Amino acid sequence: AQSVAQPEDQVNVAEGNPLTVKCTYSVSGNPYLFWYVQYPNRGLQFLLKYITGDNLVKGSYGFEAEFNKSQTSFHLKKPSALVSDSALYFCAVSLLGGGYQKVTFGTGTKLQVIP
Amino acid sequence: GAGVSQSPSNKVTEKGKDVELRCDPISGHTALYWYRQSLGQGLEFLIYFQGNSAPDKSGLPSDRFSAERTGGSVSTLTIQRTQQEDSAVYLCASSPPGQSTDTQYFGPGTRLTVL
């Protein structure tokens, strides 16, 4: 069975500092990885995804994520945090392959950017 | 264009009553997902529809939960004999045709409160 772990319930970072939100995954095959963001009182929005190719994926709002196969990780990063980045972040994994593959979401990490 | 819409946005019901939650996916999207988001929990997969294929119902927590998708578009999630533990935000998402596991576009959710 596939799974996603987001080990931190909350991450606090000062505005202007770099931020990292951690995600590790387990899947029996090649992974298809996603990050979604949920702003307060709003629906989930797609940030970025990794399929194949370059391990560093760039997404919306200046976010990027690095796929590390040996560590089975897909950490979300941003060089300089903004207060407006404060939100709930979800990592998700699926199995890359033909046909329907279920997407499994992590439990989410609350990012708090402190002015 | 229009995004995924869900109705109602909020639903308060009494224990034991039945409720219906509606999802209108993005036009042309063939895949439709239902998730449940409880306080402090991640996204719990409920059910997946893809075109005319048999739905993946493996996430439905009990036989009180059912879902339909009529004409490959609108979907209704029905919860019979609601219980207090059913209180959560129910999210719907859709994906475009193509790779069966792809970026999901989420609706704003329906907040269900069972008294």
Side-chain angles (χ1 to χ4, degrees):
Chain A
Q2 61 196 38
S3 64
V4 175
Q6 294 183 243
E8 303 151 317
D9 290 337
Q10 181 159 337
V11 170
N12 297 321
V13 63
E15 186 177 23
N17 282 3
L19 70 86
T20 298
V21 182
K22 296 179 180 177
C23 171
T24 58
Y25 67 90
S26 173
V27 67
S28 57
N30 291 318
Y32 194 161
L33 294 156
F34 303 83
W35 277 101
Y36 286 84
V37 59
Q38 187 175 36
Y39 296 103
N41 300 316
R42 293 173 63 180
L44 271 83
Q45 298 177 30
F46 168 78
L47 264 185
L48 51 81
K49 65 182 177 185
Y50 170 82
I51 308 174
T52 58
D54 193 346
N55 289 342
L56 185 64
V57 179
K58 294 186 183 297
S60 307
Y61 312 120
F63 283 91
E64 57 189 27
E66 186 167 12
F67 171 63
N68 187 316
K69 187 173 184 178
S70 63
Q71 296 186 4
T72 62
S73 66
F74 190 57
H75 301 331
L76 182 70
K77 300 182 180 183
K78 187 173 181 180
S80 179
L82 300 173
V83 173
S84 57
D85 293 330
S86 298
L88 187 58
Y89 291 81
F90 289 93
C91 181
V93 68
S94 183
L95 186 62
L96 186 61
Y100 162 64
Q101 302 289 351
K102 187 183 298 183
V103 177
T104 300
F105 284 81
T107 52
T109 298
K110 183 179 180 181
L111 174 66
Q112 190 73 39
V113 180
I114 303 162
Chain B
V4 177
S5 62
Q6 292 186 245
S7 60
S9 56
N10 281 284
K11 177 71 176 180
V12 180
T13 190
E14 295 179 344
K15 178 182 174 181
K17 300 285 189 182
D18 298 351
V19 295
E20 285 190 353
L21 312 180
R22 177 186 169 106
C23 173
D24 283 87
I26 293 173
S27 178
H29 281 196
T30 54
L32 187 148
Y33 308 78
W34 281 99
Y35 295 91
R36 180 167 67 176
Q37 184 178 19
S38 304
L39 189 62
Q41 303 292 319
L43 270 69
E44 177 186 4
F45 167 79
L46 297 177
I47 189 169
Y48 164 82
F49 295 92
Q50 174 64 278
N52 295 321
S53 302
D56 177 355
K57 303 180 181 180
S58 62
L60 295 178
S62 77
D63 58 8
R64 295 187 295 106
F65 288 73
S66 63
E68 292 184 343
R69 189 177 185 192
T70 55
S73 181
V74 172
S75 178
T76 302
L77 176 68
T78 301
I79 308 174
Q80 295 178 312
R81 305 180 302 280
T82 52
Q83 304 295 313
Q84 289 183 332
E85 60 262 30
D86 299 334
S87 296
V89 176
Y90 289 81
L91 295 171
C92 175
S94 67
S95 290
Q99 187 161 349
S100 55
T101 299
D102 208 331
T103 303
Q104 295 180 34
Y105 297 80
F106 283 82
T110 294
R111 182 176 297 278
L112 175 66
T113 303
V114 182
L115 301 177

